[in-house]
């Protein structure tokens, strides 16, 4: 019906011209004393021809409208499926559309080349910057050892403390460099996931060892017992997620400790919780029944309820991020992107002032396609 209204509206001028001609001819024939019967027969014949012409024209235009509706869905990729033009103005319009399409493709190719060049440069830069960072770490460690071995330790206590602070800052720089590399890799769509059945202790222990000095420096308690439980994931990417979650837990925990638990569960996480203190992210609705849950719980400052729905948005820092001027809002965003690609649901439970608990759910075994 909308096509018919549009067609009649576009041809309203011609219908008005036909009506005016019919009235003019009728008036002329009446003045020439032609019988009303003959005039009515002529008008009826002209009306039938007019309706037939409208029907044929509308049928043709309806096909064109439908073709354009289908073309709108593919015009972003190709402009070569347009129908043959019937009028000169249609040919001119199609030439303009093809010119725009070619210019768009040229700009897209140019932008892709620039993006690829920038990605290669930043990837090279990230790998190169790791060398001076490693050298600085060795120098600060040697410097600290020299101060500790000095006879007057009390006199060098400030220097030792400064050296330890340098090591902490270097560690943070190294974290940001790793984060930048993973951000680049995810942004370019590089897919080097190797999904296999792994012993989770082999992933968790290296992350704990990496943050050992941070635990000691902040005097935080770590509770973790090796379980020897296997799960299906990617070792490198899931290890990065563990690093980010441990980093956040340490950053926002001033006293108390962090507890890491690995348990088997027979039920998939409920992704339709209404509890305002919980927030779920999941890849699909068919999570495996037999799964392994890794929970990382801290006694830190917690997360405000109004911040929970947005904590994994790109660049969102929330109230805690405003308190910590160094927060970037990228860490949890990367975690969400990686876990989505791996197909691992995860849950964040937090209460302001009482701490945060993150639960990660991994399949216990590789699913058989025939199951």
């Amino acid at each position: 019906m909308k096509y018919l209204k549009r067609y009649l509206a576009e041809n309203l001028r011609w219908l008005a011209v036909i009506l005016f001609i019919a009235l003019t001819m009728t008036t002329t024939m009446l003045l020439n004393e032609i019988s009303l019967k003959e005039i009515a027969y002529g008008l009826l014949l002209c009306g039938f021809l007019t309706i037939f012409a409208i029907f044929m024209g509308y049928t043709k235009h309806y096909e064109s409208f439908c073709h354009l509706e289908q073309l709108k869905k593919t015009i972003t990729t190709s402009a070569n499926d347009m129908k043959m033009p019937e009028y000169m103005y249609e040919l001119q319009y199609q030439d303009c559309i093809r010119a725009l399409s070619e210019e768009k493709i040229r700009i897209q190719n140019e932008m892709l080349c620039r993006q690829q060049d920038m990605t290669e440069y930043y990837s090279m830069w990230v790998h190169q910057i790791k060398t001076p960072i490693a050298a600085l770490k060795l120098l600060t460690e040697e410097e600290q050892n020299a101060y500790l071995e000095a006879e007057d330790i009390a006199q060098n206590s400030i220097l030792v403390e400064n050296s330890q602070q340098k090591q902490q800052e270097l560690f943070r720089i190294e974290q940001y460099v790793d984060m930048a590399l993973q951000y680049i890799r995810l942004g370019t769509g590089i897919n080097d996931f190797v999904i296999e059945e792994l012993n989770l202790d082999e992933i968790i222990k290296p992350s704990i060892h990496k943050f050992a000095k941070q635990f000691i420096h902040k005097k935080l308690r770590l509770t973790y017992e090796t379980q020897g439980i296997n799960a299906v994931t990617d070792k490198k990417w899931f290890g990065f997620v563990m690093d980010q979650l441990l980093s956040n837990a340490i950053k926002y925990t001033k006293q108390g400790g962090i507890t890491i638990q690995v348990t088997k569960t027979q039920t998939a996480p409920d992704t339709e919780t209404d509890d305002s203190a919980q927030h779920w992210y999941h890849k699909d609705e068919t999570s495996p029944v037999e799964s392994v849950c890794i929970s990382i719980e801290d006694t830190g400052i917690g997360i405000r309820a109004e911040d929970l729905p947005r904590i994994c948005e790109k660049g969102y820092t929330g109230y805690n991020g405003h308190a910590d001027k160094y927060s970037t809002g990228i860490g949890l965003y990367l975690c969400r992107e990686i876990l989505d690609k791996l197909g691992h649901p995860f849950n964040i439970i937090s209460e302001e002032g009482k701490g945060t608990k993150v639960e990660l759910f991994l399949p216990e075994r590789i699913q058989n396609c025939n199951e």
Side-chain angles (χ1 to χ4, degrees):
M1 183 60 68
K2 66 176 182 178
Y3 293 135
L4 179 59
K5 291 181 180 179
R6 185 183 301 177
Y7 174 74
L8 293 176
E10 291 176 353
N11 292 274
L12 187 61
R13 290 179 300 174
W14 293 111
L15 293 175
V17 170
I18 293 173
L19 180 61
F20 177 76
I21 293 174
L23 291 175
T24 302
M25 294 301 298
T26 301
T27 303
T28 302
M29 287 186 289
L30 288 174
L31 292 176
N32 286 278
E33 298 181 354
I34 298 176
S35 66
L36 290 175
K37 183 177 179 181
E38 293 179 357
I39 295 174
Y41 176 77
L43 290 175
L44 183 63
L45 181 61
C46 290
F48 174 78
L49 292 175
T50 301
I51 293 174
F52 179 77
I54 292 174
F55 174 77
M56 294 300 295
Y58 171 70
T59 302
K60 194 171 185 180
H61 278 71
Y62 179 77
E63 293 177 356
S64 298
F65 289 144
C66 292
H67 182 77
L68 289 174
E69 288 291 338
Q70 294 295 325
L71 187 61
K72 283 167 61 178
K73 301 177 182 179
T74 59
I75 195 67
T76 55
T77 57
S78 174
N80 298 322
D81 297 330
M82 293 181 288
K83 69 182 186 68
M84 292 296 295
E86 300 179 14
Y87 307 101
M88 183 61 67
Y89 73 89
E90 287 187 353
L91 178 62
Q92 296 295 330
Y93 277 128
Q94 290 187 8
D95 289 341
C96 291
I97 292 173
R98 289 192 180 93
L100 289 173
S101 178
E102 292 175 359
E103 181 66 13
K104 175 187 173 183
I105 293 173
R106 185 190 69 79
I107 294 174
Q108 284 180 337
N109 292 334
E110 183 179 345
M111 293 301 295
L112 286 174
C113 290
R114 290 182 180 179
Q115 183 180 6
Q116 185 176 1
D117 291 340
M118 289 183 65
T119 300
E120 292 176 355
Y121 170 76
Y122 285 122
S123 298
M124 179 185 66
W125 180 87
V126 167
H127 287 293
Q128 288 180 340
I129 201 65
K130 288 184 176 182
T131 301
I133 290 175
L136 284 173
K137 287 174 67 177
L138 289 175
L139 290 173
T140 52
E141 288 177 1
E142 291 178 359
E143 182 183 53
Q144 181 179 345
N145 292 332
Y147 292 144
L148 291 174
E149 292 174 359
E151 295 181 359
D152 191 356
I153 298 178
Q155 185 179 356
N156 296 329
S157 59
I158 297 178
L159 298 176
V160 172
E161 185 177 350
N162 289 340
S163 181
Q164 291 176 345
Q165 189 64 34
K166 290 178 185 177
Q167 291 181 8
Q168 298 297 324
E169 295 302 324
L170 280 173
F171 182 78
R172 290 178 62 179
I173 293 174
E174 192 174 20
Q175 275 189 290
Y176 290 144
V177 168
D178 288 337
M179 190 184 301
L181 180 61
Q182 303 306 329
Y183 182 82
I184 293 171
R185 294 174 67 85
L186 283 176
T188 55
I190 295 176
N191 185 358
D192 63 343
F193 295 109
V194 179
I195 306 299
E196 56 185 339
E197 187 174 331
L198 299 167
N199 188 326
L200 294 178
D201 295 327
E202 297 178 358
I203 302 177
I204 299 173
K205 283 183 177 180
S207 294
I208 294 175
H209 179 73
K210 182 183 295 186
F211 291 91
K213 291 184 178 180
Q214 277 63 42
F215 279 101
I216 296 172
H217 179 72
K218 298 190 71 172
K219 299 179 181 179
L220 297 177
R221 180 185 67 256
L222 172 66
T223 304
Y224 172 69
E225 295 182 1
T226 57
Q227 300 292 329
I229 297 178
N230 292 352
V232 178
T233 187
D234 178 274
K235 186 175 183 178
K236 181 183 70 175
W237 287 96
F238 190 75
F240 174 80
V241 172
M242 289 296 302
D243 290 347
Q244 289 300 312
L245 296 178
L246 273 178
S247 175
N248 282 351
I250 294 172
K251 181 191 299 184
Y252 297 111
T253 302
K254 296 180 180 180
Q255 60 182 1
I258 298 171
T259 302
I260 303 177
Q261 291 183 329
V262 181
T263 56
K264 292 185 179 182
T265 177
Q266 294 297 320
T267 57
D270 181 12
T271 58
E272 298 181 354
T273 177
D274 294 328
D275 191 345
S276 61
Q278 298 185 6
H279 191 68
W280 281 99
Y281 291 94
H282 57 94
K283 186 174 179 62
D284 51 44
E285 300 293 340
T286 58
S287 301
V289 175
E290 296 180 355
S291 59
V292 177
C293 175
I294 302 176
S295 67
I296 304 171
E297 185 174 5
D298 63 61
T299 58
I301 59 177
I303 305 171
R304 287 188 172 185
E306 56 268 28
D307 288 337
L308 272 174
R310 300 187 59 191
I311 55 176
C312 290
E313 291 182 8
K314 183 179 179 181
Y316 184 78
T317 58
Y319 176 79
N320 293 343
H322 286 79
D324 178 15
K325 62 181 180 180
Y326 298 108
S327 180
T328 61
I330 298 296
L332 285 178
Y333 163 76
L334 291 175
C335 289
R336 185 194 67 180
E337 292 295 309
I338 293 171
L339 291 172
D340 281 348
K341 291 180 182 296
L342 291 174
H344 300 336
F346 73 96
N347 185 30
I348 299 178
I349 307 169
S350 184
E351 187 174 351
E352 188 177 4
K354 294 187 177 181
T356 302
K357 182 179 181 181
V358 181
E359 295 177 333
L360 310 172
F361 295 89
L362 285 68
E364 186 177 358
R365 55 190 176 88
I366 297 177
Q367 298 295 314
N368 194 328
C369 296
N370 297 324
E371 290 182 357

